[in-house]
């Protein structure tokens, strides 16, 4: 007897279960990541102002160095999910190992560049004479953990592609707890100062990488997948990740330009901008969790040659993104009287932030759809389009943002420009989604 096609409501429920099962643990893991820096700051801050300033400069460079290689997670998720959809778990894990080997190579190259140039890099970033020695010490030690950090990114992509976001959550939470305990023990118990904080983070990151490798190696043995480096596979991973690297660099350029413009507006506006940017980043974690679910789900459907399933999943995830964006926007509006006093007692700063905060709230539905479509196209392996779309967005955003102080606009005008940036992304990603050109089925794109 032929089974009747699933009713639309049943299809939506199935997609909802998939999205929740992947997105909720992914959100927890995403939130745990910035807690590493927060824990370091809380512990080092009691050593002195110069030490905290040094940590701030060094960690900014460190997180940037790691953040630009986030494609190790994104590209690996899409590639592994396709092979899972095709039912070839051996090839899926083999693809994941190629990503992990690429992470190790990039990590080794980063160490070779950063270690000898650390003092010069701290000077270039403007570290003061008192903070620079601490910043250099922290950066040099922490750089030794970059290969582990990149392995964590790649291995996270492997597990996401295997439709597992729970293991990354467990590893991230355990890593945060270990990092906090190690830092406290090494900074104060062992009397190592800021060097102890750096070593604590390195040890925690290496432990996280080891935990991931145990899981991946176990899967490789289960499916008889090779663990040896494969030059062709590593090269293919790099080629797939290159467009996503361009996308990430363009996005970071947008955030740097926005901060530079805010700095030109004065100290009060800059302080308010930092508060709003922190909130915007937190909201992005919630939306990015749905995007991560999109990467895994879309890749699996396309790998299984189920174009219709991919379309339906995309449609449902867009609805989720829109609904989540509306909910977050309303939450920001309601909570703004409580939120702003948490970060500043200066009424001038709060007055500058309040109208810009409303703009951020109103933009959240747009952000919700953009994040989801970004994840869908990543899951489809549509990296080249994402790269060019973000370069176009940067080309439009940059001159408009730089005109804000020239034309006498304030922080609210700057965040209106940020909303324009998201609207451009909505247009480019929406057109791509509607065209259907991203739908390329098969185990490989």
């Amino acid at each position: 007897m032929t089974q009747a096609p699933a009713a639309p409501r049943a299809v939506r429920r199935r997609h909802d279960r998939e999205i929740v099962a992947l997105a909720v643990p992914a959100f927890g893991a995403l939130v745990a990541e910035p807690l590493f820096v927060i824990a370091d700051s809380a512990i080092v801050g009691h050593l002195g102002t110069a030490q905290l300033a040094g940590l701030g400069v060094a960690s900014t460079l460190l997180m940037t160095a790691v953040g630009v290689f986030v494609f190790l997670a994104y590209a690996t998720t899409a590639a592994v999910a396709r092979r899972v959809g095709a039912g070839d778990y051996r090839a899926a894990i083999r693809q994941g190992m190629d990503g992990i080997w690429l992470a190790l190579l990039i990590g080794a190259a980063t160490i070779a560049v950063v270690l000898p140039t650390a003092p010069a890099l701290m000077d270039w970033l403007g570290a003061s004479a008192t903070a620079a020695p601490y910043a250099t010490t922290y950066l040099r030690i922490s750089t030794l953990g970059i290969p582990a950090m990149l392995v964590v990114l790649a291995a996270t992509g492997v597990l996401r592609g295997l439709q597992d976001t729970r293991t990354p959550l467990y590893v991230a939470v355990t890593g945060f707890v270990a990092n906090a305990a190690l830092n406290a023990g090494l900074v104060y118990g062992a009397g190592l100062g800021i060097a102890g904080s750096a070593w604590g983070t390195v040890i925690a990151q290496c432990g996280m990488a080891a935990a991931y490798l145990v899981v991946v190696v176990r899967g490789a043995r289960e499916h008889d997948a090779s663990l040896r480096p494969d030059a062709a596979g590593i090269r293919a991973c790099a080629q797939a990740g290159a467009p996503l690297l361009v996308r990430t660099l363009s996005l970071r350029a947008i955030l740097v330009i926005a901060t530079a413009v805010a700095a030109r507006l004065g100290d009060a506006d800059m302080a308010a901008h930092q508060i709003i940017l922190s909130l915007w980043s937190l909201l992005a974690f919630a939306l990015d969790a749905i995007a991560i679910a999109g990467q895994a789900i879309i890749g699996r459907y396309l790998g299984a040659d189920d174009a219709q399933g991919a379309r339906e999943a995309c449609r449902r995830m867009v609805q989720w993104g829109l609904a989540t964006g509306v909910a977050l926007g309303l939450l920001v509006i309601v909570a703004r009287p409580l939120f702003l006093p948490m970060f500043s007692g200066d009424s001038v700063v709060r007055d500058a932030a309040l109208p810009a905060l409303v703009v951020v709230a109103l933009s959240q539905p747009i952000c919700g759809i953009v994040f989801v479509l970004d994840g869908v196209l990543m899951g489809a392996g549509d990296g080249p389009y994402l790269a060019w779309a973000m370069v176009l967005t940067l080309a439009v955003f940059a001159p408009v943002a730089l005109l804000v102080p020239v034309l006498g606009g304030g922080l609210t005008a700057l965040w209106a420009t940020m909303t324009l940036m998201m609207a451009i992304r909505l247009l480019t990603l929406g057109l791509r989604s509607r065209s259907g050109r991203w739908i390329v089925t098969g185990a490989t794109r």
Side-chain angles (χ1 to χ4, degrees):
M1 181 176 178
T2 303
Q3 186 177 3
R9 180 175 296 179
V11 172
R12 289 197 299 271
R13 286 178 177 173
R14 186 180 76 245
H15 290 314
D16 290 345
R17 287 194 297 269
E18 290 180 331
I19 293 167
V20 170
L22 291 171
V24 173
F27 174 69
L30 288 169
V31 170
E33 291 174 7
L35 293 180
F36 275 83
V37 177
I38 293 175
D40 287 1
S41 300
I43 293 171
V44 172
H46 291 286
L47 293 174
T49 301
Q51 288 90 332
L52 183 58
L55 171 68
V57 177
S59 63
T60 296
L61 181 62
L62 187 68
M63 290 301 99
T64 299
V66 174
V68 296
F69 298 120
V70 73
F71 72 82
L72 288 166
Y74 293 159
T76 304
T77 298
V80 171
R82 275 184 176 268
R83 285 160 176 78
V84 168
D88 191 348
Y89 281 82
R90 180 180 179 182
I93 295 176
R94 175 64 261 178
Q95 178 76 41
M97 283 305 305
D98 291 335
I100 290 172
W101 281 112
L102 177 61
L104 287 170
L105 290 174
I106 294 174
T110 304
I111 288 177
V113 171
V114 174
L115 276 183
T117 60
L121 289 170
M122 293 302 92
D123 289 340
W124 177 68
L125 284 174
S128 67
T130 54
Y134 298 111
T136 301
T137 297
Y138 187 89
L139 180 62
R140 278 182 164 160
I141 297 172
S142 296
T143 298
L144 300 176
I146 286 180
M149 295 179 191
L150 298 184
V151 166
V152 167
L153 284 178
T156 299
V158 175
L159 295 181
R160 288 173 180 171
L162 293 171
Q163 316 297 296
D164 176 10
T165 55
R166 289 183 179 273
T167 299
L169 171 61
Y170 300 148
V171 174
V173 172
T174 303
F176 164 69
V177 174
N179 178 70
L182 285 165
N183 279 9
L186 293 174
V187 170
Y188 298 112
L192 296 180
I194 195 170
S197 176
W199 280 118
T201 299
V202 169
I203 294 170
Q205 291 288 348
C206 289
M208 292 172 65
Y212 276 119
L213 289 176
V214 167
V215 176
V216 174
V217 169
R218 185 185 301 141
R221 289 176 176 171
E222 181 181 348
H223 297 284
D224 195 28
S226 174
L227 298 174
R228 295 179 179 178
D230 176 67
I234 295 172
R235 186 163 50 250
C237 284
Q239 290 172 346
L244 295 181
L245 176 61
V246 173
R247 167 202 169 274
T248 301
L249 290 173
S250 299
L251 179 58
R252 287 192 172 271
I254 287 171
L255 297 178
V256 169
I257 290 171
T259 299
V261 170
R264 294 183 182 182
L265 299 176
D267 289 346
D269 279 344
M270 181 61 218
H273 174 75
Q274 184 60 35
I275 294 171
I276 295 172
L277 186 60
S278 298
L279 175 63
W280 192 78
S281 299
L282 179 62
L283 297 173
F285 284 132
L287 300 174
D288 204 27
I290 304 175
I292 287 170
Q295 293 172 31
I297 292 171
I298 294 298
R300 192 188 75 234
Y301 274 115
L302 293 178
D305 292 324
D306 188 354
Q308 182 60 30
R311 290 190 185 92
E312 292 172 352
C314 175
R315 187 179 305 113
R316 189 57 176 164
M317 280 183 283
V318 167
Q319 293 169 354
W320 267 80
L322 176 60
T324 304
V326 170
L328 291 176
L330 291 174
L331 181 62
V332 171
I333 293 293
V334 172
R336 71 188 189 281
L338 301 174
F339 175 76
L340 290 175
M342 290 173 56
F343 288 88
S344 177
D346 189 334
S347 60
V348 177
V349 172
R350 294 201 302 268
D351 289 344
L354 186 59
L357 201 60
V358 174
V359 173
V360 170
L362 294 176
S363 71
Q364 287 310 296
I366 297 175
C367 294
I369 299 174
V370 167
F371 273 75
V372 166
L373 291 179
D374 204 38
V376 166
L377 297 184
M378 283 185 190
D382 204 13
Y385 182 84
L386 289 171
W388 289 115
M390 189 60 79
V391 169
L392 173 63
T393 302
L394 171 61
V396 176
F397 169 82
V400 176
L402 293 174
L403 281 174
V404 168
V406 175
L407 298 178
L411 190 66
T412 303
L414 174 60
W415 276 94
T417 305
M418 290 287 286
T419 302
L420 170 65
M421 178 269 293
M422 295 303 294
I424 296 169
R425 294 186 67 192
L426 177 63
L427 177 62
T428 56
L429 299 181
L431 289 174
R432 186 64 168 183
S433 174
R434 290 178 65 87
S435 73
R437 293 181 181 178
W438 56 277
I439 301 177
V440 180
T441 59
T444 58
R445 183 178 173 87

